């Protein structure tokens, strides 16, 4: 039986529920290879981020280091932001590899992945930076409007943030376009099925949050224990270094899981892009046929 025919298609019109189901089908088929390749790329940034988190909590627990906490928080946030930028590029590159290889993600090595990633790095970095730029006004608007914050965030997300979420998919699957052209096309694709995109993002963000709740819950409990553990005079508690190492390892695992769980959002965006693109192509084809029949 031909495996290529059985593979999930990108360019296929789907309803919102079918997009969600397709994401689950894609995860079921590829979760092992997806996890393996995610660890290849995101473990280093997770290690760096974990160092920042552990050091940050230590600063808050030890009064002598509270003054450095603000700068440490900014650096840690920056590392996480870079991690999500890398994750965007990585996950879309993995999906691109899946759709253009007969065997999907099976037998994909780090070198194969890196060769596919390299052309995407610059345009993805630019778009990711622009995305964080447009997210910041949303945060400021939510603070300024107080009670109107949910309504303002919904409108701003639907009209600005959602198109910027689709832009990386356009870069990945239409690499011949310029960055500006990709962003312009992303806005057109987003507004083609406006409310479906909004609904899909709400569903996938909830799925992302709930998928990591257990791990993050365990990590939160461990954080409380860790802060309590180190908030004592030196020499009173034995094994403090062991506790720090154990908490650090747990933080690395929690960070990798956080990035891995975020991939469901990228998968949904990719399948939404494929669905809308196919819908527009079908509409253009039908329009061309109608115009031809009128001749």
């Amino acid at each position: 039986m031909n495996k290529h025919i059985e593979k999930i298609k990108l360019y296929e019109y789907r309803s919102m529920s079918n997009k969600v189901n397709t994401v689950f089908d894609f995860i079921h088929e590829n979760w092992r290879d997806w996890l393996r390749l995610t660890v290849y790329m995101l473990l280093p940034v997770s290690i760096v981020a974990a160092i920042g988190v552990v050091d940050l909590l230590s600063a808050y627990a030890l009064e002598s280091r509270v003054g450095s906490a603000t700068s440490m928080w900014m650096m840690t946030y920056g590392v996480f932001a870079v991690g999500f930028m890398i994750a965007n590029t990585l996950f879309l590159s993995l999906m691109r590899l899946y759709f253009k290889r007969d065997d999907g993600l099976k037998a994909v090595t780090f070198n194969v992945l890196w060769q596919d990633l390299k052309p995407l790095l610059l345009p993805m970095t630019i778009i990711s930076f622009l995305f964080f730029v447009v997210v910041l006004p949303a945060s400021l608007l939510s603070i300024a409007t107080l009670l109107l914050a949910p309504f303002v965030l919904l409108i701003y997300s639907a009209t600005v943030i959602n198109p910027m979420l689709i832009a990386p998919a356009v870069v990945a699957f239409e690499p011949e376009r310029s960055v500006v052209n990709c962003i312009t096309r992303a806005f057109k694709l987003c507004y083609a099925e406006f409310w479906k995109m909004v609904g899909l993002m709400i569903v996938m963000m909830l799925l992302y949050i709930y998928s990591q709740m257990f791990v993050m819950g365990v990590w939160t409990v461990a954080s409380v224990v860790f802060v309590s553990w180190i908030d004592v005079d030196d020499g009173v508690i034995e094994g403090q270094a062991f506790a720090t190492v154990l908490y650090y390892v747990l933080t690395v695992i929690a960070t990798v899981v956080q990035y891995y769980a975020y991939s469901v959002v990228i998968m949904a965006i990719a399948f939404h892009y494929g669905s809308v693109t196919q819908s527009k192509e079908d509409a253009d084809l039908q329009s061309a046929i109608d115009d031809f029949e009128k001749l």
Side-chain angles (χ1 to χ4, degrees):
M1 191 174 291
N2 193 332
K3 293 182 179 180
H4 181 70
I5 295 177
E6 294 179 348
K7 283 174 57 180
I8 297 171
K9 296 179 181 179
L10 174 64
Y11 295 106
E12 179 178 313
Y13 181 75
R14 297 177 172 94
S15 64
M16 194 183 84
S17 60
N18 283 338
K19 290 169 192 171
V20 176
N21 291 334
T22 303
V23 169
F24 282 113
D25 291 339
F26 188 85
I27 293 172
H28 181 265
E29 180 181 341
N30 297 285
W31 74 268
R32 289 185 181 86
D33 294 305
W34 193 276
L35 178 60
R36 171 176 60 87
L37 295 166
T38 297
V39 171
Y40 276 168
M41 295 296 295
L42 292 177
L43 183 58
V45 72
S46 298
I47 291 173
V48 175
I51 293 174
V53 170
V54 174
D55 211 28
L56 185 60
L57 286 178
S58 300
Y60 279 112
L62 302 174
E63 293 182 1
S64 60
R65 300 180 58 198
V66 169
S68 62
T70 302
S71 60
M72 291 166 57
W73 183 89
M74 292 179 63
M75 287 188 291
T76 303
Y77 177 82
V79 172
F80 272 101
V82 170
F84 277 105
M85 290 169 65
I86 295 173
N88 273 338
T89 307
L90 169 65
F91 295 149
L92 284 168
S93 181
L94 287 176
M95 296 201 75
R96 191 167 76 162
L97 282 170
Y98 171 84
F99 292 119
K100 74 180 184 181
R101 286 168 54 94
D102 291 340
D103 295 331
L105 297 179
K106 298 186 183 301
V108 172
T109 63
F110 176 80
N111 288 334
V112 172
L113 176 59
W114 177 244
Q115 291 302 318
D116 189 77
L117 271 172
K118 284 196 296 185
L120 299 179
L121 289 177
L122 181 58
M124 285 292 194
T125 300
I126 295 172
I127 287 180
S128 296
F129 174 77
L130 293 175
F131 176 76
F132 282 107
V133 168
V134 301
V135 167
L136 182 58
S139 302
L140 297 176
L141 282 171
S142 65
I143 295 172
T145 55
L146 297 177
L147 294 177
L148 293 177
F151 177 76
V152 173
L153 279 174
L154 177 62
I155 298 299
Y156 189 78
S157 174
T159 57
V160 180
I161 295 179
N162 282 353
M164 291 302 297
L165 285 172
I166 297 181
V170 180
V171 171
F173 300 114
E174 302 180 32
E176 71 281 355
R177 294 179 181 270
S178 66
V179 172
V180 174
N181 198 301
C182 286
I183 293 174
T184 303
R185 178 162 170 75
F187 273 82
K188 292 178 180 178
L189 291 176
C190 180
Y191 296 142
E193 294 190 2
F194 186 80
W195 292 112
K196 287 184 179 179
M197 177 67 179
V198 174
L200 183 64
M201 285 300 96
I202 292 174
V203 171
M204 300 317 294
M205 288 304 297
L206 289 174
L207 179 61
Y208 164 59
I209 292 169
Y210 285 117
S211 66
Q212 59 172 334
M213 279 184 66
F214 175 75
V215 174
M216 297 309 294
V218 172
W219 178 82
T220 301
V221 172
S223 300
V224 174
V225 173
F226 174 69
V227 171
S228 302
W229 189 282
I230 64 174
D231 191 17
V232 295
D233 294 332
D234 291 338
V236 176
I237 297 295
E238 295 181 358
Q240 185 169 305
F242 173 76
T244 302
V245 172
L246 185 62
Y247 177 71
Y248 171 73
V249 172
L250 181 62
T251 303
V252 172
I253 294 172
T255 304
V256 172
V257 170
Q258 181 184 27
Y259 289 133
Y260 185 73
Y262 173 67
S263 65
V264 298
V265 178
I266 302 301
M267 293 175 190
I269 290 171
F271 286 119
H272 179 77
Y273 156 82
S275 176
V276 177
T277 301
Q278 186 62 43
S279 176
K280 287 181 68 65
E281 288 181 357
D282 290 345
D284 292 342
L285 178 60
Q286 185 61 48
S287 177
I289 292 173
D290 292 341
D291 291 341
F292 178 77
E293 290 178 347
K294 293 177 182 178
L295 295 176

